[in-house]
Amino acid sequence: MKRTKETMTPESIVIRGGTVIDPGRFNGLADVLVQNGRVVEIGMPLLASLPEGPALRTIDATGLIVSPGFVDLHCHLREPGFEYKETIQSGAASAIAGGFTSICCMPNTQPVNDNESITDFILTKAKEAGTARVFPIGAITKKSEGEELADIGELIGAGCIAISDDGRPVMNSLVMRRAMEYAKAFGVPVVDHCEDLHLSCGGSMNEGIVSTQLGIPGIPHASEEVMVARNLSLAHLTGVHVHLAHLSTARSVELVRLAKKQGLPVSAEVCPHHFSVTEEAVRGYNSNAKMNPPLRTDPDVQALKDGLRDGTIDVIATDHAPHAIQEKQLEFDAAPFGIVGFETALPLTLRLVEEGVLSLEQALDKLAKSPANLFHLPAGSLDVGEAADVVIFDPKEEWVIDPDRFRSKSRNTPFGGWKVKGRVKQTIVGGRLVYEDR
Amino acid sequence: MNRALTRISHEILERNKGLSALALVGIRSGGEFLARRIAALINQIEHAEVPIGELDITLYRDDLSLRKDQPEIRKTTIPFNITNMKIVLVDDVLFTGRTIRAALDGLMDLGRPSEVQLAVLVDRGHRQLPIRANYVGKSLPTAKEESVQVFFKELGQVDRVSIIPA
Amino acid sequence: MGLNRKDLLTIAALSADEIHLILTTAESLKEVGGRDIKKVPALRGKTVVNLFFEPSTRTRTSFELAAKRLSADVINFSPSTSSIVKGETLIDTARNIESMQADIIVLRHSSPGAADNLAGAVRSSVINAGDGWHEHPTQALLDLFTLKEKKGYIEGLTVVIVGDIAHSRVARSNILALTKLGAHVRVVAPPTMLPLLIEKLGVTVYYRFEEALIGADAIIMLRLQRERLGQALLPSIREYANLYCLTPERLQLAKPEAIVMHPGPMNRGVEISPSVADSAAAVILDQVSNGVSVRMALMYLLSGSA
């Protein structure tokens, strides 16, 4: 009993000697003092007046980066319904191992998160897990069938922070319009997985030279872009914030850039896999390179990077989508879409810093502050008085991605064996050390 | 080489009392050249054509399933029906007898000859099967580890037989 | 030179030399089919499993005959797609078959890449007998064989492939094989039936059949799958036939000695008119008998590296 209480009570932590980066506010060597779950003081040199006693934990962050914990606007925790792929507990464990302290989970569970009881269930499970903060995203339509609106007011009341039919995009534009209008009353963003399913026509990879060579039915760029254009028009019509999930094509970026110039209420995310690999990764029928939207081409990768650099793309989200080994062992066209993402997001993002696409501070903005702001989450900052959600990582440590060591239940990643740089050392949620690299 | 082949040609004619129902089948690839030369010699002697065929025995080898790399298959061309014919198989070197065993099997799949005889340029001994040639150009005592190679002018070489030490 | 590989999965992976070796071996083996006793002992004691997840009597029969002419034992296994419903993966099925000491597994499957997946999971040799829209390498090899037999050579020939290129594994394999051996390949189809960036495979694209036929040495007609109608790829069979049926008049546009090939089964009156199908130019039945020789050659060559 005593033990449980100890782990549940926020301890006092002093993080010494690290480079603290609180995007937009602070960037420099500093010590951070955490007490009662909150950031109490940031300074250098810190505090002759540190609290004494066994309750004070000191973390030596010399040579490390101290950042607000990462915030993922897009993940799939699979519970309820697909616990063999992931549970809220295992998903949250994977999140903190990747430095994510707040994660927003999509409603495509079984049953779909289209009512209060499912939202309650998710929040209860998340509390039991007691690691990352979990923010559920409610369904736009009942069972995500794209026809009748879900009880959106009830969902928001229960704790959902956005609505989306991710995985089963709303094909009917009128339903989408009504959902956006209705969401206005609650001030939550509407998140859309932009895909015209008719154009996708059952495809399972990018339509292009590789699909032509491999004989795999293709998903054209246009399948995403026509829905991006639709959503931008609806944002213009309704004035409601639409958040475009996992953009993958150059023209999508261009459309968003134009919309932002015109002042439309739009935000956009990109996933690490879409800026790290191309359709070439599918060769050999690698089902771990099968995701939706699919991996695209070099010019698309370049455009996504440009979009990140100039701010057209606001956030980096993982689209963490665990699937069991036996599912990914199926033939390429039969295997499900998606890869796990929490535990590879940081090193893949740091590649952009290495390439000079983003500064480290910009990268941390896309991973922490910007997503928190967009979805109005109490996270993404190390300001004094804020909840102490902190990630401490070594930006230089080299390691080899080994899916067998993931905290996630699933292993589906195309990055196994990649030699990468940047490793999470400690993760603190609400002033508690919840993850430590050993 | 020519002298030996001339003698073999005469022996074939003598033993078979002429050319009636007689045909030569050379085993690829050495036997193929020898069969043609014997046919030409017989033609000189008798002023008559003897039918010639070429047999590739690869598919009948007894070591196929033991090999890692499959030997090249060449064409079998026997442009006449061998049933009820007297077939003289022609090969360059008679050694273990396994090639002749394969050739006999291959031949039997193509029809039912009335008789099969064997002509070889060189018999180097070391038989592993109960096979004996009817016509031998030269018996050449060799060590088992040595190999015997026959060179043909048809392949742009000088006709000769050489023993290659192990 | 041997065929130094465990499997035959794609034409894409073969070198021109390897293709020539297969064709030469098939030429030598063709004689076996003309004998009274159509059997040689080369694969005696070997087991060939025809694993067909899609029905295809022709291809399966051709492989079966090829294996039997080489004296192999043949098992035909046609699992219903319901085994996937039961939760058994292709790999599970194949491992089961491998446990029966199969030396060669011939796989036909509706998923592109199924043969690649299988070959990576079993020690047996795998021959791809068609995987989705991806490849059908033995069909391309038998087409090359027939072309070489009729024309004497392949390099420099102009070959026209007509029809639903996008959804055709036969077209993909033929394009790769023909271009590797130096033929000029033209593809002709309505644009809805041409895959994106097909010209990057080294072919010339035509939309009008008549233009594509001028100067052709050989014409490969593809079967029109009637289910394409529901996918907005075509207005009607009638219109397709009007534009793309190989008629005697259209055949006149090709070289006088041009030959006509078809992988079968034909839709007479749709992609090929009966009078062309039955004309001296058509070598469709030669393709069928050559298919056995080519498959014998492959099985022989692959059986070496067990």
Side-chain angles (χ1 to χ4, degrees), chain A residues 384-398:
Chain A
V384 169
E386 295 287 340
D389 293 355
V390 187
V391 56
I392 301 162
F393 65 90
D394 183 343
K396 299 214 170 64
E397 183 174 336
E398 292 195 353

Side-chain angles (χ1 to χ4, degrees), chain A residues 201 207-209 211-218 284-285 326 329-334, chain C residues 84 89-90 109-114 116-117 131 133-134 172 195-198 200-201:
Chain A
C201 195
E207 184 174 345
I209 183 64
S211 69
T212 291
Q213 287 173 333
L214 298 184
I216 295 176
Y285 300 90
Q326 69 271 18
Q329 269 179 351
L330 292 173
E331 296 76 73
F332 190 86
D333 55 351
Chain C
I84 289 173
T89 64
L90 165 65
H109 201 284
S110 60
S111 290
D116 291 63
N117 294 347
D131 60 330
W133 306 344
H134 178 216
R172 273 183 182 73
L196 216 56
L197 302 176
I198 181 75
K200 286 204 173 180
L201 300 186

Side-chain angles (χ1 to χ4, degrees), chain B residues 30-130:
Chain B
E32 175 190 342
F33 307 127
L34 294 173
R36 281 198 212 123
R37 291 198 201 177
I38 293 170
L41 290 165
I42 288 177
N43 192 6
Q44 278 175 24
I45 302 161
E46 290 283 297
H47 304 288
E49 295 283 338
V50 56
I52 321 172
E54 286 138 17
L55 182 67
D56 183 85
I57 57 100
T58 310
L59 295 165
Y60 295 87
R61 291 173 69 128
D62 59 10
D63 58 353
L64 279 181
S65 60
L66 308 174
R67 295 173 63 105
K68 204 135 180 70
D69 197 16
Q70 293 295 64
E72 189 185 336
I73 301 178
R74 279 169 290 194
K75 271 194 189 123
T76 288
T77 317
I78 298 184
F80 47 86
N81 187 349
I82 63 166
T83 299
N84 296 327
M85 297 279 280
K86 283 184 273 185
I87 302 293
V88 182
L89 274 175
V90 185
D91 201 2
D92 47 5
V93 180
L94 179 58
F95 179 31
T96 61
R98 289 178 190 270
T99 300
I100 305 305
R101 193 284 306 162
L104 286 169
D105 278 359
L107 211 52
M108 295 307 169
D109 273 1
L110 297 172
R112 187 178 184 282
S114 61
E115 191 178 336
V116 180
Q117 302 163 11
L118 175 61
V120 298
L121 181 64
V122 175
D123 181 351
R124 58 168 290 198
H126 306 290
R127 211 77 74 241
Q128 294 168 357
L129 295 173

Side-chain angles (χ1 to χ4, degrees), chain C residues 2-39:
Chain C
L3 193 64
N4 235 335
R5 44 178 78 239
K6 175 172 94 71
D7 312 296
L8 182 88
L9 306 177
T10 60
I11 296 290
L14 291 180
S15 68
D17 282 346
E18 287 176 303
I19 295 175
H20 282 301
L21 172 68
I22 296 165
L23 297 182
T24 316
T25 307
E27 275 164 35
S28 299
L29 284 165
K30 187 165 180 175
E31 162 265 331
V32 175
R35 299 183 185 177
D36 286 342
I37 301 169
K38 299 176 186 58
K39 209 176 188 69

Side-chain angles (χ1 to χ4, degrees), chain A residues 246-397:
Chain A
H246 46 48
L247 293 186
S248 69
T249 82
R251 286 180 55 80
S252 292
V253 176
E254 195 49 48
L255 288 166
V256 174
R257 185 174 287 128
L258 187 66
K260 285 194 163 183
K261 207 176 276 174
Q262 294 167 347
L264 295 187
V266 56
S267 56
E269 74 188 28
V270 66
C271 303
H273 44 271
H274 286 125
F275 62 66
S276 302
V277 276
T278 66
E279 59 181 357
E280 292 290 330
V282 175
R283 289 195 193 278
Y285 300 90
N286 177 7
S287 65
N288 282 330
K290 178 178 175 179
M291 56 282 277
N292 191 2
L295 298 174
R296 302 286 188 183
T297 66
D298 277 327
D300 296 304
V301 167
Q302 192 50 52
L304 295 176
K305 289 177 181 173
D306 291 344
L308 279 165
R309 184 191 285 120
D310 71 10
T312 302
I313 293 169
D314 305 272
V315 307
I316 293 170
T318 66
D319 195 6
H320 178 84
H323 291 292
I325 287 167
Q326 69 271 18
E327 295 173 303
K328 280 290 192 180
Q329 269 179 351
L330 292 173
E331 296 76 73
F332 190 86
D333 55 351
F337 290 106
I339 62 168
V340 292
F342 288 137
E343 294 169 70
T344 50
L346 174 66
L348 294 174
T349 302
L350 290 178
R351 282 160 47 97
L352 298 181
V353 176
E354 193 115 304
E355 281 177 47
V357 174
L358 297 175
S359 68
L360 182 54
E361 184 168 343
Q362 285 169 327
L364 297 177
D365 180 56
K366 309 276 186 200
L367 280 171
K369 185 182 168 198
S370 170
N373 289 351
L374 280 174
F375 280 21
H376 318 297
L377 305 178
S381 167
L382 289 181
D383 207 358
V384 169
E386 295 287 340
D389 293 355
V390 187
V391 56
I392 301 162
F393 65 90
D394 183 343
K396 299 214 170 64
E397 183 174 336

Side-chain angles (χ1 to χ4, degrees), chain A residues 30 55 73 84 106 111 148 166 179 187 230 264 278 280 347 378 431:
Chain A
L73 296 187
Y84 65 96
M106 286 295 177
E148 294 171 45
D166 185 70
R230 176 198 75 172
L264 295 187
T278 66
E280 292 290 330

Side-chain angles (χ1 to χ4, degrees), chain C residues 129-148:
Chain C
D131 60 330
W133 306 344
H134 178 216
E135 280 223 40
H136 191 352
T138 59
Q139 177 71 42
L141 290 166
L142 76 89
D143 288 346
L144 288 183
F145 184 91
T146 307
L147 202 54
K148 192 176 166 199

